[in-house]
Amino acid sequence: AAIAAQSDAGFDILVVDQSDEEDPGLARRAEAEPRLRVLRGTGRGLSVARNAALATVDTDWIAFVDDDCLLAPDWVVQWRDALRRHPGVAFVAGHVGTANEPPGDHLAAAARPVEAERVLSGPGVWPQHIGYGVCMALRTDVARRLGGWDERLGAGVAEFPAAEDMDFNFRLLARGESALVTPSMRSV
């Protein structure tokens, strides 16, 4: 709903559904919304889902938003503005806040406060400094050249259910690509 409610609606939405059973509500929504498409039966795991989406789209840029991440209503507007200011970047990530945290004692592992806009590049940059996979946008051709995400890593993989984003970010930076982090693209 937060993606569909963007103030700039000039994009398509692809939901990669790896559920055992089809969600009738999602199927009805896809029938009613021409921008929404559901891809089912891709296997299991976050990296598998991202690679399936990457293989399916025919766009210059692709954004990935985890199912528990809510975008600010102007996220797309801010992303397009960031690309106008920094046309050479291959990766863009923004501020991920903690307003969506459940109550209780826990660690907000996916929170990523961004206070200043920066372009980062080079193999000396720590992969986590350019963002987490919870909410990011990247050039589709660059993601394909990097081979997508390592399907042995990430949520849904019993042996190593993490670090698929850090592995991808490391490879992106090692190949000489640049990344933009900006506080204007906000999500929780």
Side-chain angles (χ1 to χ4, degrees), residues 140-179:
T140 306
D141 63 333
V142 171
R144 288 179 177 145
R145 268 198 317 273
L146 294 174
W149 285 263
D150 187 333
E151 295 182 2
R152 299 170 298 171
L153 305 173
V157 177
E159 295 80 21
F160 208 95
E164 81 294 335
D165 49 0
M166 295 304 104
D167 170 71
F168 183 87
N169 293 359
F170 174 80
R171 290 183 286 122
L172 179 107
L173 293 165
R175 288 274 182 99
E177 299 293 347
S178 60

PDB file of all heavy atoms in Angstrom, residues 140-179:
ATOM      1  N   THR A 140      19.763  -1.643 -13.224  1.00  0.00           N
ATOM      2  CA  THR A 140      19.502  -3.035 -13.556  1.00  0.00           C
ATOM      3  C   THR A 140      20.684  -3.672 -14.277  1.00  0.00           C
ATOM      4  O   THR A 140      21.072  -4.797 -13.967  1.00  0.00           O
ATOM      5  CB  THR A 140      18.220  -3.126 -14.417  1.00  0.00           C
ATOM      6  OG1 THR A 140      17.168  -2.464 -13.719  1.00  0.00           O
ATOM      7  CG2 THR A 140      17.824  -4.554 -14.674  1.00  0.00           C
ATOM      8  N   ASP A 141      21.287  -2.952 -15.219  1.00  0.00           N
ATOM      9  CA  ASP A 141      22.406  -3.539 -15.969  1.00  0.00           C
ATOM     10  C   ASP A 141      23.593  -3.819 -15.062  1.00  0.00           C
ATOM     11  O   ASP A 141      24.290  -4.824 -15.230  1.00  0.00           O
ATOM     12  CB  ASP A 141      22.802  -2.666 -17.150  1.00  0.00           C
ATOM     13  CG  ASP A 141      23.310  -1.288 -16.765  1.00  0.00           C
ATOM     14  OD1 ASP A 141      22.929  -0.758 -15.698  1.00  0.00           O
ATOM     15  OD2 ASP A 141      24.095  -0.710 -17.543  1.00  0.00           O
ATOM     16  N   VAL A 142      23.829  -2.970 -14.078  1.00  0.00           N
ATOM     17  CA  VAL A 142      24.937  -3.194 -13.140  1.00  0.00           C
ATOM     18  C   VAL A 142      24.651  -4.432 -12.295  1.00  0.00           C
ATOM     19  O   VAL A 142      25.519  -5.293 -12.112  1.00  0.00           O
ATOM     20  CB  VAL A 142      25.172  -1.953 -12.253  1.00  0.00           C
ATOM     21  CG1 VAL A 142      26.160  -2.255 -11.132  1.00  0.00           C
ATOM     22  CG2 VAL A 142      25.664  -0.782 -13.108  1.00  0.00           C
ATOM     23  N   ALA A 143      23.432  -4.551 -11.781  1.00  0.00           N
ATOM     24  CA  ALA A 143      23.073  -5.723 -10.980  1.00  0.00           C
ATOM     25  C   ALA A 143      23.240  -7.007 -11.779  1.00  0.00           C
ATOM     26  O   ALA A 143      23.733  -8.016 -11.259  1.00  0.00           O
ATOM     27  CB  ALA A 143      21.650  -5.592 -10.461  1.00  0.00           C
ATOM     28  N   ARG A 144      22.880  -6.965 -13.044  1.00  0.00           N
ATOM     29  CA  ARG A 144      23.037  -8.153 -13.888  1.00  0.00           C
ATOM     30  C   ARG A 144      24.505  -8.462 -14.147  1.00  0.00           C
ATOM     31  O   ARG A 144      24.916  -9.626 -14.115  1.00  0.00           O
ATOM     32  CB  ARG A 144      22.281  -7.966 -15.204  1.00  0.00           C
ATOM     33  CG  ARG A 144      20.780  -8.048 -15.008  1.00  0.00           C
ATOM     34  CD  ARG A 144      20.019  -7.843 -16.297  1.00  0.00           C
ATOM     35  NE  ARG A 144      18.591  -8.002 -16.071  1.00  0.00           N
ATOM     36  CZ  ARG A 144      17.667  -7.300 -16.689  1.00  0.00           C
ATOM     37  NH1 ARG A 144      18.008  -6.417 -17.622  1.00  0.00           N
ATOM     38  NH2 ARG A 144      16.394  -7.481 -16.410  1.00  0.00           N
ATOM     39  N   ARG A 145      25.299  -7.434 -14.400  1.00  0.00           N
ATOM     40  CA  ARG A 145      26.743  -7.649 -14.618  1.00  0.00           C
ATOM     41  C   ARG A 145      27.403  -8.259 -13.383  1.00  0.00           C
ATOM     42  O   ARG A 145      28.357  -9.027 -13.503  1.00  0.00           O
ATOM     43  CB  ARG A 145      27.440  -6.335 -14.959  1.00  0.00           C
ATOM     44  CG  ARG A 145      27.526  -6.048 -16.423  1.00  0.00           C
ATOM     45  CD  ARG A 145      28.562  -4.999 -16.782  1.00  0.00           C
ATOM     46  NE  ARG A 145      28.605  -3.832 -15.933  1.00  0.00           N
ATOM     47  CZ  ARG A 145      27.865  -2.730 -16.077  1.00  0.00           C
ATOM     48  NH1 ARG A 145      26.980  -2.669 -17.043  1.00  0.00           N
ATOM     49  NH2 ARG A 145      27.995  -1.711 -15.265  1.00  0.00           N
ATOM     50  N   LEU A 146      26.908  -7.908 -12.206  1.00  0.00           N
ATOM     51  CA  LEU A 146      27.461  -8.454 -10.965  1.00  0.00           C
ATOM     52  C   LEU A 146      26.949  -9.858 -10.661  1.00  0.00           C
ATOM     53  O   LEU A 146      27.371 -10.477  -9.693  1.00  0.00           O
ATOM     54  CB  LEU A 146      27.139  -7.527  -9.788  1.00  0.00           C
ATOM     55  CG  LEU A 146      27.806  -6.160  -9.828  1.00  0.00           C
ATOM     56  CD1 LEU A 146      27.297  -5.287  -8.696  1.00  0.00           C
ATOM     57  CD2 LEU A 146      29.326  -6.294  -9.754  1.00  0.00           C
ATOM     58  N   GLY A 147      26.027 -10.354 -11.459  1.00  0.00           N
ATOM     59  CA  GLY A 147      25.496 -11.696 -11.248  1.00  0.00           C
ATOM     60  C   GLY A 147      24.367 -11.764 -10.244  1.00  0.00           C
ATOM     61  O   GLY A 147      24.036 -12.851  -9.762  1.00  0.00           O
ATOM     62  N   GLY A 148      23.784 -10.610  -9.891  1.00  0.00           N
ATOM     63  CA  GLY A 148      22.680 -10.601  -8.937  1.00  0.00           C
ATOM     64  C   GLY A 148      23.143 -10.933  -7.533  1.00  0.00           C
ATOM     65  O   GLY A 148      24.266 -10.622  -7.136  1.00  0.00           O
ATOM     66  N   TRP A 149      22.277 -11.616  -6.793  1.00  0.00           N
ATOM     67  CA  TRP A 149      22.552 -11.929  -5.389  1.00  0.00           C
ATOM     68  C   TRP A 149      22.930 -13.387  -5.241  1.00  0.00           C
ATOM     69  O   TRP A 149      22.408 -14.256  -5.937  1.00  0.00           O
ATOM     70  CB  TRP A 149      21.315 -11.614  -4.539  1.00  0.00           C
ATOM     71  CG  TRP A 149      21.188 -10.136  -4.356  1.00  0.00           C
ATOM     72  CD1 TRP A 149      21.616  -9.406  -3.291  1.00  0.00           C
ATOM     73  CD2 TRP A 149      20.653  -9.198  -5.287  1.00  0.00           C
ATOM     74  NE1 TRP A 149      21.381  -8.079  -3.503  1.00  0.00           N
ATOM     75  CE2 TRP A 149      20.781  -7.913  -4.722  1.00  0.00           C
ATOM     76  CE3 TRP A 149      20.076  -9.305  -6.542  1.00  0.00           C
ATOM     77  CZ2 TRP A 149      20.356  -6.763  -5.360  1.00  0.00           C
ATOM     78  CZ3 TRP A 149      19.650  -8.160  -7.176  1.00  0.00           C
ATOM     79  CH2 TRP A 149      19.789  -6.920  -6.586  1.00  0.00           C
ATOM     80  N   ASP A 150      23.820 -13.651  -4.320  1.00  0.00           N
ATOM     81  CA  ASP A 150      24.270 -15.007  -4.031  1.00  0.00           C
ATOM     82  C   ASP A 150      23.134 -15.739  -3.322  1.00  0.00           C
ATOM     83  O   ASP A 150      22.772 -15.399  -2.193  1.00  0.00           O
ATOM     84  CB  ASP A 150      25.519 -14.958  -3.142  1.00  0.00           C
ATOM     85  CG  ASP A 150      26.150 -16.314  -2.940  1.00  0.00           C
ATOM     86  OD1 ASP A 150      25.431 -17.339  -3.016  1.00  0.00           O
ATOM     87  OD2 ASP A 150      27.361 -16.360  -2.671  1.00  0.00           O
ATOM     88  N   GLU A 151      22.578 -16.740  -3.963  1.00  0.00           N
ATOM     89  CA  GLU A 151      21.405 -17.435  -3.441  1.00  0.00           C
ATOM     90  C   GLU A 151      21.727 -18.358  -2.274  1.00  0.00           C
ATOM     91  O   GLU A 151      20.826 -18.946  -1.676  1.00  0.00           O
ATOM     92  CB  GLU A 151      20.697 -18.176  -4.576  1.00  0.00           C
ATOM     93  CG  GLU A 151      20.143 -17.196  -5.599  1.00  0.00           C
ATOM     94  CD  GLU A 151      19.387 -17.828  -6.737  1.00  0.00           C
ATOM     95  OE1 GLU A 151      19.220 -19.073  -6.764  1.00  0.00           O
ATOM     96  OE2 GLU A 151      18.938 -17.076  -7.634  1.00  0.00           O
ATOM     97  N   ARG A 152      22.997 -18.452  -1.902  1.00  0.00           N
ATOM     98  CA  ARG A 152      23.380 -19.196  -0.701  1.00  0.00           C
ATOM     99  C   ARG A 152      23.268 -18.324   0.547  1.00  0.00           C
ATOM    100  O   ARG A 152      23.449 -18.802   1.663  1.00  0.00           O
ATOM    101  CB  ARG A 152      24.815 -19.705  -0.818  1.00  0.00           C
ATOM    102  CG  ARG A 152      25.037 -20.652  -1.992  1.00  0.00           C
ATOM    103  CD  ARG A 152      26.499 -20.926  -2.195  1.00  0.00           C
ATOM    104  NE  ARG A 152      27.174 -19.661  -2.510  1.00  0.00           N
ATOM    105  CZ  ARG A 152      28.492 -19.508  -2.583  1.00  0.00           C
ATOM    106  NH1 ARG A 152      29.289 -20.537  -2.354  1.00  0.00           N
ATOM    107  NH2 ARG A 152      29.021 -18.341  -2.887  1.00  0.00           N
ATOM    108  N   LEU A 153      22.948 -17.024   0.340  1.00  0.00           N
ATOM    109  CA  LEU A 153      22.899 -16.070   1.444  1.00  0.00           C
ATOM    110  C   LEU A 153      21.523 -15.426   1.529  1.00  0.00           C
ATOM    111  O   LEU A 153      20.825 -15.305   0.533  1.00  0.00           O
ATOM    112  CB  LEU A 153      23.936 -14.953   1.222  1.00  0.00           C
ATOM    113  CG  LEU A 153      25.381 -15.366   1.009  1.00  0.00           C
ATOM    114  CD1 LEU A 153      26.218 -14.153   0.637  1.00  0.00           C
ATOM    115  CD2 LEU A 153      25.927 -16.045   2.249  1.00  0.00           C
ATOM    116  N   GLY A 154      21.174 -14.959   2.716  1.00  0.00           N
ATOM    117  CA  GLY A 154      19.975 -14.143   2.883  1.00  0.00           C
ATOM    118  C   GLY A 154      18.829 -14.859   3.562  1.00  0.00           C
ATOM    119  O   GLY A 154      18.857 -16.067   3.794  1.00  0.00           O
ATOM    120  N   ALA A 155      17.818 -14.063   3.903  1.00  0.00           N
ATOM    121  CA  ALA A 155      16.620 -14.595   4.549  1.00  0.00           C
ATOM    122  C   ALA A 155      16.057 -15.744   3.730  1.00  0.00           C
ATOM    123  O   ALA A 155      16.025 -15.696   2.505  1.00  0.00           O
ATOM    124  CB  ALA A 155      15.588 -13.489   4.697  1.00  0.00           C
ATOM    125  N   GLY A 156      15.649 -16.794   4.421  1.00  0.00           N
ATOM    126  CA  GLY A 156      15.108 -17.973   3.761  1.00  0.00           C
ATOM    127  C   GLY A 156      16.133 -19.049   3.496  1.00  0.00           C
ATOM    128  O   GLY A 156      15.783 -20.130   3.025  1.00  0.00           O
ATOM    129  N   VAL A 157      17.405 -18.780   3.792  1.00  0.00           N
ATOM    130  CA  VAL A 157      18.471 -19.762   3.614  1.00  0.00           C
ATOM    131  C   VAL A 157      18.892 -20.245   5.005  1.00  0.00           C
ATOM    132  O   VAL A 157      19.351 -19.447   5.825  1.00  0.00           O
ATOM    133  CB  VAL A 157      19.681 -19.162   2.869  1.00  0.00           C
ATOM    134  CG1 VAL A 157      20.811 -20.172   2.768  1.00  0.00           C
ATOM    135  CG2 VAL A 157      19.271 -18.665   1.497  1.00  0.00           C
ATOM    136  N   ALA A 158      18.718 -21.509   5.281  1.00  0.00           N
ATOM    137  CA  ALA A 158      18.981 -22.033   6.622  1.00  0.00           C
ATOM    138  C   ALA A 158      20.445 -21.885   7.039  1.00  0.00           C
ATOM    139  O   ALA A 158      20.744 -21.551   8.179  1.00  0.00           O
ATOM    140  CB  ALA A 158      18.557 -23.505   6.695  1.00  0.00           C
ATOM    141  N   GLU A 159      21.359 -22.099   6.122  1.00  0.00           N
ATOM    142  CA  GLU A 159      22.769 -22.112   6.477  1.00  0.00           C
ATOM    143  C   GLU A 159      23.322 -20.718   6.787  1.00  0.00           C
ATOM    144  O   GLU A 159      24.189 -20.566   7.636  1.00  0.00           O
ATOM    145  CB  GLU A 159      23.620 -22.742   5.359  1.00  0.00           C
ATOM    146  CG  GLU A 159      23.337 -24.206   5.117  1.00  0.00           C
ATOM    147  CD  GLU A 159      22.082 -24.420   4.261  1.00  0.00           C
ATOM    148  OE1 GLU A 159      21.662 -23.495   3.541  1.00  0.00           O
ATOM    149  OE2 GLU A 159      21.513 -25.525   4.344  1.00  0.00           O
ATOM    150  N   PHE A 160      22.861 -19.690   6.060  1.00  0.00           N
ATOM    151  CA  PHE A 160      23.373 -18.328   6.280  1.00  0.00           C
ATOM    152  C   PHE A 160      22.285 -17.323   5.919  1.00  0.00           C
ATOM    153  O   PHE A 160      22.290 -16.738   4.838  1.00  0.00           O
ATOM    154  CB  PHE A 160      24.636 -18.084   5.449  1.00  0.00           C
ATOM    155  CG  PHE A 160      25.541 -17.069   6.073  1.00  0.00           C
ATOM    156  CD1 PHE A 160      26.591 -17.465   6.872  1.00  0.00           C
ATOM    157  CD2 PHE A 160      25.319 -15.713   5.897  1.00  0.00           C
ATOM    158  CE1 PHE A 160      27.421 -16.528   7.465  1.00  0.00           C
ATOM    159  CE2 PHE A 160      26.138 -14.774   6.484  1.00  0.00           C
ATOM    160  CZ  PHE A 160      27.197 -15.175   7.269  1.00  0.00           C
ATOM    161  N   PRO A 161      21.333 -17.113   6.848  1.00  0.00           N
ATOM    162  CA  PRO A 161      20.171 -16.273   6.541  1.00  0.00           C
ATOM    163  C   PRO A 161      20.433 -14.770   6.665  1.00  0.00           C
ATOM    164  O   PRO A 161      19.619 -14.025   7.192  1.00  0.00           O
ATOM    165  CB  PRO A 161      19.149 -16.751   7.571  1.00  0.00           C
ATOM    166  CG  PRO A 161      19.976 -17.162   8.737  1.00  0.00           C
ATOM    167  CD  PRO A 161      21.231 -17.746   8.149  1.00  0.00           C
ATOM    168  N   ALA A 162      21.575 -14.316   6.163  1.00  0.00           N
ATOM    169  CA  ALA A 162      21.918 -12.890   6.254  1.00  0.00           C
ATOM    170  C   ALA A 162      23.024 -12.580   5.250  1.00  0.00           C
ATOM    171  O   ALA A 162      23.521 -13.460   4.559  1.00  0.00           O
ATOM    172  CB  ALA A 162      22.395 -12.552   7.663  1.00  0.00           C
ATOM    173  N   ALA A 163      23.402 -11.310   5.189  1.00  0.00           N
ATOM    174  CA  ALA A 163      24.593 -10.797   4.500  1.00  0.00           C
ATOM    175  C   ALA A 163      24.542 -10.810   2.979  1.00  0.00           C
ATOM    176  O   ALA A 163      25.531 -10.483   2.339  1.00  0.00           O
ATOM    177  CB  ALA A 163      25.856 -11.505   4.981  1.00  0.00           C
ATOM    178  N   GLU A 164      23.401 -11.136   2.373  1.00  0.00           N
ATOM    179  CA  GLU A 164      23.325 -11.088   0.918  1.00  0.00           C
ATOM    180  C   GLU A 164      23.519  -9.671   0.409  1.00  0.00           C
ATOM    181  O   GLU A 164      24.116  -9.459  -0.649  1.00  0.00           O
ATOM    182  CB  GLU A 164      22.000 -11.683   0.417  1.00  0.00           C
ATOM    183  CG  GLU A 164      20.798 -10.764   0.477  1.00  0.00           C
ATOM    184  CD  GLU A 164      20.340 -10.354   1.861  1.00  0.00           C
ATOM    185  OE1 GLU A 164      20.600 -11.080   2.836  1.00  0.00           O
ATOM    186  OE2 GLU A 164      19.701  -9.293   1.976  1.00  0.00           O
ATOM    187  N   ASP A 165      23.045  -8.693   1.182  1.00  0.00           N
ATOM    188  CA  ASP A 165      23.206  -7.298   0.778  1.00  0.00           C
ATOM    189  C   ASP A 165      24.654  -6.841   0.919  1.00  0.00           C
ATOM    190  O   ASP A 165      25.177  -6.141   0.055  1.00  0.00           O
ATOM    191  CB  ASP A 165      22.259  -6.379   1.548  1.00  0.00           C
ATOM    192  CG  ASP A 165      22.259  -6.597   3.050  1.00  0.00           C
ATOM    193  OD1 ASP A 165      22.994  -7.473   3.560  1.00  0.00           O
ATOM    194  OD2 ASP A 165      21.499  -5.898   3.744  1.00  0.00           O
ATOM    195  N   MET A 166      25.338  -7.273   1.964  1.00  0.00           N
ATOM    196  CA  MET A 166      26.737  -6.872   2.149  1.00  0.00           C
ATOM    197  C   MET A 166      27.627  -7.506   1.083  1.00  0.00           C
ATOM    198  O   MET A 166      28.546  -6.879   0.569  1.00  0.00           O
ATOM    199  CB  MET A 166      27.239  -7.227   3.547  1.00  0.00           C
ATOM    200  CG  MET A 166      26.534  -6.478   4.665  1.00  0.00           C
ATOM    201  SD  MET A 166      26.599  -4.680   4.501  1.00  0.00           S
ATOM    202  CE  MET A 166      24.947  -4.288   3.926  1.00  0.00           C
ATOM    203  N   ASP A 167      27.330  -8.758   0.728  1.00  0.00           N
ATOM    204  CA  ASP A 167      28.071  -9.414  -0.351  1.00  0.00           C
ATOM    205  C   ASP A 167      27.866  -8.662  -1.657  1.00  0.00           C
ATOM    206  O   ASP A 167      28.830  -8.363  -2.380  1.00  0.00           O
ATOM    207  CB  ASP A 167      27.598 -10.865  -0.497  1.00  0.00           C
ATOM    208  CG  ASP A 167      28.155 -11.520  -1.740  1.00  0.00           C
ATOM    209  OD1 ASP A 167      29.367 -11.797  -1.773  1.00  0.00           O
ATOM    210  OD2 ASP A 167      27.377 -11.735  -2.699  1.00  0.00           O
ATOM    211  N   PHE A 168      26.612  -8.302  -1.968  1.00  0.00           N
ATOM    212  CA  PHE A 168      26.327  -7.562  -3.195  1.00  0.00           C
ATOM    213  C   PHE A 168      27.021  -6.205  -3.165  1.00  0.00           C
ATOM    214  O   PHE A 168      27.665  -5.803  -4.140  1.00  0.00           O
ATOM    215  CB  PHE A 168      24.812  -7.382  -3.377  1.00  0.00           C
ATOM    216  CG  PHE A 168      24.468  -6.694  -4.663  1.00  0.00           C
ATOM    217  CD1 PHE A 168      24.298  -7.416  -5.822  1.00  0.00           C
ATOM    218  CD2 PHE A 168      24.362  -5.309  -4.722  1.00  0.00           C
ATOM    219  CE1 PHE A 168      24.013  -6.784  -7.024  1.00  0.00           C
ATOM    220  CE2 PHE A 168      24.070  -4.663  -5.904  1.00  0.00           C
ATOM    221  CZ  PHE A 168      23.892  -5.407  -7.058  1.00  0.00           C
ATOM    222  N   ASN A 169      26.893  -5.479  -2.053  1.00  0.00           N
ATOM    223  CA  ASN A 169      27.517  -4.158  -1.936  1.00  0.00           C
ATOM    224  C   ASN A 169      29.028  -4.235  -2.104  1.00  0.00           C
ATOM    225  O   ASN A 169      29.634  -3.372  -2.748  1.00  0.00           O
ATOM    226  CB  ASN A 169      27.182  -3.525  -0.582  1.00  0.00           C
ATOM    227  CG  ASN A 169      25.723  -3.184  -0.427  1.00  0.00           C
ATOM    228  OD1 ASN A 169      24.922  -3.391  -1.334  1.00  0.00           O
ATOM    229  ND2 ASN A 169      25.362  -2.675   0.730  1.00  0.00           N
ATOM    230  N   PHE A 170      29.656  -5.254  -1.529  1.00  0.00           N
ATOM    231  CA  PHE A 170      31.102  -5.425  -1.665  1.00  0.00           C
ATOM    232  C   PHE A 170      31.482  -5.591  -3.133  1.00  0.00           C
ATOM    233  O   PHE A 170      32.406  -4.943  -3.634  1.00  0.00           O
ATOM    234  CB  PHE A 170      31.578  -6.635  -0.852  1.00  0.00           C
ATOM    235  CG  PHE A 170      33.029  -6.941  -1.067  1.00  0.00           C
ATOM    236  CD1 PHE A 170      34.006  -6.223  -0.408  1.00  0.00           C
ATOM    237  CD2 PHE A 170      33.417  -7.925  -1.966  1.00  0.00           C
ATOM    238  CE1 PHE A 170      35.354  -6.490  -0.628  1.00  0.00           C
ATOM    239  CE2 PHE A 170      34.752  -8.200  -2.196  1.00  0.00           C
ATOM    240  CZ  PHE A 170      35.718  -7.476  -1.520  1.00  0.00           C
ATOM    241  N   ARG A 171      30.746  -6.443  -3.836  1.00  0.00           N
ATOM    242  CA  ARG A 171      31.055  -6.673  -5.254  1.00  0.00           C
ATOM    243  C   ARG A 171      30.825  -5.418  -6.081  1.00  0.00           C
ATOM    244  O   ARG A 171      31.592  -5.116  -6.995  1.00  0.00           O
ATOM    245  CB  ARG A 171      30.239  -7.850  -5.794  1.00  0.00           C
ATOM    246  CG  ARG A 171      30.696  -9.188  -5.204  1.00  0.00           C
ATOM    247  CD  ARG A 171      29.967 -10.394  -5.765  1.00  0.00           C
ATOM    248  NE  ARG A 171      28.613 -10.480  -5.246  1.00  0.00           N
ATOM    249  CZ  ARG A 171      27.511 -10.488  -5.998  1.00  0.00           C
ATOM    250  NH1 ARG A 171      27.592 -10.433  -7.311  1.00  0.00           N
ATOM    251  NH2 ARG A 171      26.320 -10.588  -5.448  1.00  0.00           N
ATOM    252  N   LEU A 172      29.778  -4.660  -5.755  1.00  0.00           N
ATOM    253  CA  LEU A 172      29.479  -3.410  -6.456  1.00  0.00           C
ATOM    254  C   LEU A 172      30.641  -2.425  -6.296  1.00  0.00           C
ATOM    255  O   LEU A 172      31.124  -1.850  -7.275  1.00  0.00           O
ATOM    256  CB  LEU A 172      28.185  -2.809  -5.903  1.00  0.00           C
ATOM    257  CG  LEU A 172      27.772  -1.489  -6.528  1.00  0.00           C
ATOM    258  CD1 LEU A 172      26.582  -1.713  -7.441  1.00  0.00           C
ATOM    259  CD2 LEU A 172      27.416  -0.475  -5.468  1.00  0.00           C
ATOM    260  N   LEU A 173      31.093  -2.246  -5.075  1.00  0.00           N
ATOM    261  CA  LEU A 173      32.187  -1.305  -4.806  1.00  0.00           C
ATOM    262  C   LEU A 173      33.511  -1.803  -5.387  1.00  0.00           C
ATOM    263  O   LEU A 173      34.295  -1.009  -5.922  1.00  0.00           O
ATOM    264  CB  LEU A 173      32.320  -1.078  -3.300  1.00  0.00           C
ATOM    265  CG  LEU A 173      31.144  -0.349  -2.655  1.00  0.00           C
ATOM    266  CD1 LEU A 173      31.187  -0.504  -1.139  1.00  0.00           C
ATOM    267  CD2 LEU A 173      31.135   1.120  -3.066  1.00  0.00           C
ATOM    268  N   ALA A 174      33.755  -3.096  -5.309  1.00  0.00           N
ATOM    269  CA  ALA A 174      35.003  -3.662  -5.845  1.00  0.00           C
ATOM    270  C   ALA A 174      35.094  -3.500  -7.354  1.00  0.00           C
ATOM    271  O   ALA A 174      36.193  -3.415  -7.905  1.00  0.00           O
ATOM    272  CB  ALA A 174      35.115  -5.140  -5.467  1.00  0.00           C
ATOM    273  N   ARG A 175      33.951  -3.414  -8.044  1.00  0.00           N
ATOM    274  CA  ARG A 175      33.926  -3.214  -9.492  1.00  0.00           C
ATOM    275  C   ARG A 175      34.038  -1.753  -9.886  1.00  0.00           C
ATOM    276  O   ARG A 175      33.947  -1.407 -11.054  1.00  0.00           O
ATOM    277  CB  ARG A 175      32.643  -3.784 -10.086  1.00  0.00           C
ATOM    278  CG  ARG A 175      32.594  -5.289 -10.102  1.00  0.00           C
ATOM    279  CD  ARG A 175      33.279  -5.830 -11.367  1.00  0.00           C
ATOM    280  NE  ARG A 175      33.206  -7.252 -11.423  1.00  0.00           N
ATOM    281  CZ  ARG A 175      32.326  -7.945 -12.121  1.00  0.00           C
ATOM    282  NH1 ARG A 175      31.431  -7.317 -12.841  1.00  0.00           N
ATOM    283  NH2 ARG A 175      32.348  -9.239 -12.108  1.00  0.00           N
ATOM    284  N   GLY A 176      34.180  -0.855  -8.890  1.00  0.00           N
ATOM    285  CA  GLY A 176      34.375   0.555  -9.192  1.00  0.00           C
ATOM    286  C   GLY A 176      33.100   1.352  -9.352  1.00  0.00           C
ATOM    287  O   GLY A 176      33.142   2.504  -9.803  1.00  0.00           O
ATOM    288  N   GLU A 177      31.966   0.789  -9.006  1.00  0.00           N
ATOM    289  CA  GLU A 177      30.700   1.512  -9.097  1.00  0.00           C
ATOM    290  C   GLU A 177      30.562   2.463  -7.910  1.00  0.00           C
ATOM    291  O   GLU A 177      31.171   2.260  -6.862  1.00  0.00           O
ATOM    292  CB  GLU A 177      29.518   0.550  -9.135  1.00  0.00           C
ATOM    293  CG  GLU A 177      29.525  -0.392 -10.315  1.00  0.00           C
ATOM    294  CD  GLU A 177      29.307   0.304 -11.656  1.00  0.00           C
ATOM    295  OE1 GLU A 177      28.904   1.477 -11.684  1.00  0.00           O
ATOM    296  OE2 GLU A 177      29.536  -0.352 -12.693  1.00  0.00           O
ATOM    297  N   SER A 178      29.726   3.478  -8.060  1.00  0.00           N
ATOM    298  CA  SER A 178      29.500   4.429  -6.970  1.00  0.00           C
ATOM    299  C   SER A 178      28.074   4.316  -6.455  1.00  0.00           C
ATOM    300  O   SER A 178      27.157   3.921  -7.178  1.00  0.00           O
ATOM    301  CB  SER A 178      29.788   5.856  -7.432  1.00  0.00           C
ATOM    302  OG  SER A 178      28.956   6.209  -8.508  1.00  0.00           O
ATOM    303  N   ALA A 179      27.928   4.681  -5.180  1.00  0.00           N
ATOM    304  CA  ALA A 179      26.631   4.596  -4.508  1.00  0.00           C
ATOM    305  C   ALA A 179      26.327   5.940  -3.858  1.00  0.00           C
ATOM    306  O   ALA A 179      27.218   6.614  -3.348  1.00  0.00           O
ATOM    307  CB  ALA A 179      26.666   3.495  -3.458  1.00  0.00           C
TER     308      ALA A 179
END
